[in-house]
Amino acid sequence: MKFSNLLFNSLKESPKEAKIVSHQLMLRSSMIRQHTSGIYTWLPLGFKVLKNIENIVRYNQNKIGCNEMMMSTIQSSDLWKKSGRYSDYGKEMLRINDRHDNELLYGPTNEEVITDLFSDYVNSYKGLPKYLYHIQWKFRDEIRPRFGVMRGREFLMKDAYSFDLDHESAVETYKIFFKSYLQTFIDLGLQPIPVKAATGAIGGDLSHEFQIIAKTGESELAYDPELVSQNLLNKSYEEITSMYSASDEMIDKNRSNVVIGRGIEVGHIFNFGTKYSLPLECYVLNNEGKKVFPHMGSYGVGVSRLTAAIIEAFHDENGIKWPFNISPFKINIITSTHGSNNEVAEKLLEKLTLKYGNVSYDDRDLGMGRKIKDSELIGIPWSIIIGKNYEENKQLEITNRSNGEKSFLTESEVESFKFEQYTP
RNA sequence: CGGGGAGUAGCUCAGUCUGGUAGAGUGUCUGCUUUGGGAGCAGAAAGUCGCAGGUUCGAGUCCUGUCUCCCCGACCA
């Protein structure tokens, strides 16, 4: 992608409404634009990031046998009346009446819809367990949206739902999702802290939040320092959950040897048994021909929130520092003197794009300083400057966004350079 | 919903107290210069001052109403 084709307009100053760094940087780098309170347009750069995160989440869900599907954003109120949540959910739920005066709502979550759907499609215990998910926009009419996409009203969420024959197997499923979530957040370059959670409006008896440590996080955290010093992927569910962690009002103030911090909740998993299968009459026949109500769980990841959380984790005074696999562009080619190196840049753009997918070339007629500043602001992992060093001795200057290290390579060396070996 | 603040150019803001032709910086556009860290000079375009009423010869400014946005608290991915 050439910058001349990109809808992009960097801001030197932060719009005044942005209070936290991720919101400021997302506005300054043309990732998002606010449409109205808590509702945003995702501009090309932001949308690329969102898709990249979504794909990492998707990959990990598919890996555990979860079926991707797509449920509607608008739902009918009748299922919610059956589950009892039409009244329980309160003003957070955006309610809409259609022209026939039927009561509709913009889905804040999908337990009702998926349970109803599942009961139509699976009638035998042989169809269990089943995992289903979608990545869809949700709407919750937050009392006070804030911090940009961190707490928007409209947000993109991956929500998965599991159906198991009994409590025991539902708990096994819960553990599978638990481990998969750790892997997902680690793949996103983050250090997740699983925290035992209150179950809130979703209900249930077993629930964990996945928190990312950040000064600007909305939750207060207290946790065993061992949780962040060890590779959680090598530990069992039991080992991990035996380590202390708690958030907000669940924190035991008398406990010592804990780290106190703040976190951003990027995932939340629930096991809630038959809370929805019973009222919605979702059942299968067991091996004795008797009705059994599946034990369910739901598993959410805040995809749009993750864009902000990752920026909170990876930035410096010059801008964002995207992890390689999340960055909107992996490499940014910059030319200095106008015109003279365009052909070299275009060829390189073509070759690197074939290899890495999203690569950009800043072909704007602007000074070098401005282009470098924009590259740093956007947070592109690598920049390749084709300038003085190229004209003098055919060297390309490769700069690492994270540590600022520069190397000078020939064109063929650049082609074999391991750009993917980058940490933010 | 309670408490606080703000709506004036794409962005950051001045002007409002004390009514009298709509301002600055930055960004944008044009030309020349420049070309390794948001560069310089000259010129230009750009706002029905959130909206609706009212007072007045005259309202960005005063009065009334209204909408929106932001911040602090209680809910949530």
Side-chain angles (χ1 to χ4, degrees):
Chain A
M1 169 66 88
K2 291 182 195 171
F3 268 63
S4 57
N5 292 326
L6 186 67
L7 184 72
F8 168 77
N9 202 355
S10 65
L11 298 176
K12 216 172 192 175
E13 295 167 291
S14 286
K16 62 176 172 181
E17 72 266 18
K19 304 295 172 189
I20 64 170
V21 68
S22 59
H23 191 193
Q24 292 169 345
L25 290 174
M26 287 179 87
L27 291 169
R28 286 186 53 206
S29 66
S30 284
M31 285 181 66
I32 54 168
R33 186 172 170 93
Q34 179 165 327
H35 178 244
T36 186
S37 180
I39 299 178
Y40 294 83
T41 295
W42 291 77
L43 302 173
L45 282 180
F47 192 58
K48 279 178 188 291
V49 169
L50 193 65
K51 287 287 163 192
N52 290 341
I53 293 171
E54 191 182 304
N55 282 331
I56 291 168
V57 172
R58 174 177 289 116
Y59 174 82
N60 278 285
Q61 289 292 286
N62 292 345
K63 214 159 70 176
I64 58 169
C66 210
N67 295 269
E68 184 168 17
M69 52 194 284
M70 185 66 114
M71 289 174 268
S72 62
T73 54
I74 305 288
Q75 304 179 13
S76 165
S77 64
D78 53 357
L79 295 173
W80 288 75
K81 286 177 179 164
K82 275 193 201 169
S83 73
R85 285 207 293 182
Y86 197 60
S87 49
D88 292 354
Y89 223 93
K91 292 193 168 179
E92 296 254 304
M93 181 186 280
L94 181 64
R95 294 150 207 263
I96 309 161
N97 283 15
D98 70 11
R99 60 165 62 188
H100 305 296
D101 219 28
N102 290 324
E103 293 173 319
L104 302 176
L105 56 100
Y106 198 113
T109 179
N110 285 65
E111 280 82 5
E112 282 79 358
V113 172
I114 198 104
T115 305
D116 183 59
L117 176 111
F118 190 83
S119 76
D120 287 345
Y121 280 86
V122 179
N123 306 304
S124 162
Y125 72 98
K126 291 175 185 169
L128 296 177
K130 275 285 180 297
Y131 309 152
L132 309 169
Y133 78 101
H134 71 163
I135 300 173
Q136 176 65 293
W137 293 92
K138 307 290 189 294
F139 193 92
R140 293 184 190 169
D141 199 358
E142 295 285 340
I143 300 169
R144 188 155 84 85
R146 63 184 126 178
F147 301 150
V149 299
M150 193 79 88
R151 173 159 306 284
R153 293 194 292 172
E154 188 179 68
F155 58 97
L156 187 61
M157 180 164 91
K158 186 286 296 179
D159 43 324
Y161 302 88
S162 66
F163 297 83
D164 276 275
L165 191 58
D166 52 34
H167 179 71
E168 289 68 33
S169 88
V171 170
E172 288 312 305
T173 291
Y174 184 87
K175 291 176 188 175
I176 289 169
F177 274 91
F178 184 98
K179 294 285 278 183
S180 170
Y181 268 39
L182 291 177
Q183 181 72 59
T184 302
F185 295 122
I186 288 167
D187 284 356
L188 289 165
L190 300 168
Q191 169 78 52
I193 300 195
V195 172
K196 202 163 287 165
T199 50
I202 312 280
D205 60 354
L206 185 55
S207 178
H208 282 89
E209 296 166 354
F210 291 79
Q211 296 273 355
I212 302 304
I213 298 163
K215 286 192 292 290
T216 48
E218 291 188 273
S219 318
E220 190 181 3
L221 294 183
Y223 55 93
D224 187 333
E226 293 284 292
L227 264 177
V228 290
S229 67
Q230 300 182 14
N231 184 352
L232 296 180
L233 295 176
N234 295 335
K235 299 214 165 291
S236 69
Y237 170 83
E238 287 73 17
E239 287 174 298
I240 295 166
T241 53
S242 67
M243 291 187 256
Y244 179 78
S245 65
S247 68
D248 298 325
E249 69 279 359
M250 306 277 278
I251 293 173
D252 176 2
K253 302 278 184 198
N254 298 318
R255 190 174 273 267
S256 57
N257 292 327
V258 296
V259 180
I260 303 288
R262 301 198 70 80
I264 300 166
E265 185 188 348
V266 291
H268 202 156
I269 62 177
F270 302 87
N271 177 315
F272 44 70
T274 56
K275 177 172 169 153
Y276 299 97
S277 51
L278 276 176
L280 294 169
E281 295 174 87
C282 167
Y283 60 83
V284 298
L285 296 182
N286 69 7
N287 58 1
E288 295 167 347
K290 288 186 177 145
K291 286 184 187 176
V292 176
F293 293 84
H295 285 246
M296 295 174 57
S298 74
Y299 315 87
V301 171
V303 176
S304 48
R305 173 180 288 182
L306 271 165
T307 60
I310 292 167
I311 295 171
E312 292 291 331
F314 302 112
H315 68 271
D316 63 16
E317 65 281 2
N318 294 317
I320 303 167
K321 304 200 294 190
W322 288 116
F324 189 80
N325 54 0
I326 295 169
S327 185
F329 299 114
K330 314 303 177 200
I331 304 161
N332 187 30
I333 300 164
I334 296 172
T335 44
S336 59
T337 54
H338 50 221
S340 60
N341 291 320
N342 283 0
E343 271 186 38
V344 183
E346 300 227 8
K347 260 191 225 158
L348 193 58
L349 174 67
E350 201 175 313
K351 281 183 180 162
L352 292 174
T353 300
L354 275 175
K355 196 166 171 192
Y356 293 103
N358 277 308
V359 175
S360 55
Y361 164 31
D362 194 342
D363 59 340
R364 297 175 296 173
D365 186 16
L366 293 172
M368 172 74 72
R370 172 74 176 278
K371 293 188 187 184
I372 293 172
K373 286 282 182 194
D374 278 347
S375 193
E376 288 173 344
L377 175 65
I378 296 169
I380 303 169
W382 300 97
S383 60
I384 299 179
I385 295 178
I386 308 176
K388 264 199 307 222
N389 283 299
Y390 185 78
E391 279 139 39
E392 288 163 12
N393 40 33
K394 297 291 173 204
Q395 281 188 326
L396 302 171
E397 177 180 327
I398 318 298
T399 308
N400 179 311
R401 168 67 182 91
S402 179
N403 57 22
E405 276 176 22
K406 296 181 195 301
S407 28
F408 297 88
L409 306 176
T410 65
E411 281 170 82
S412 62
E413 283 170 332
V414 164
E415 282 168 37
S416 56
F417 189 81
K418 297 264 181 286
F419 287 102
E420 63 274 26
Q421 288 176 8
Y422 171 89
T423 46

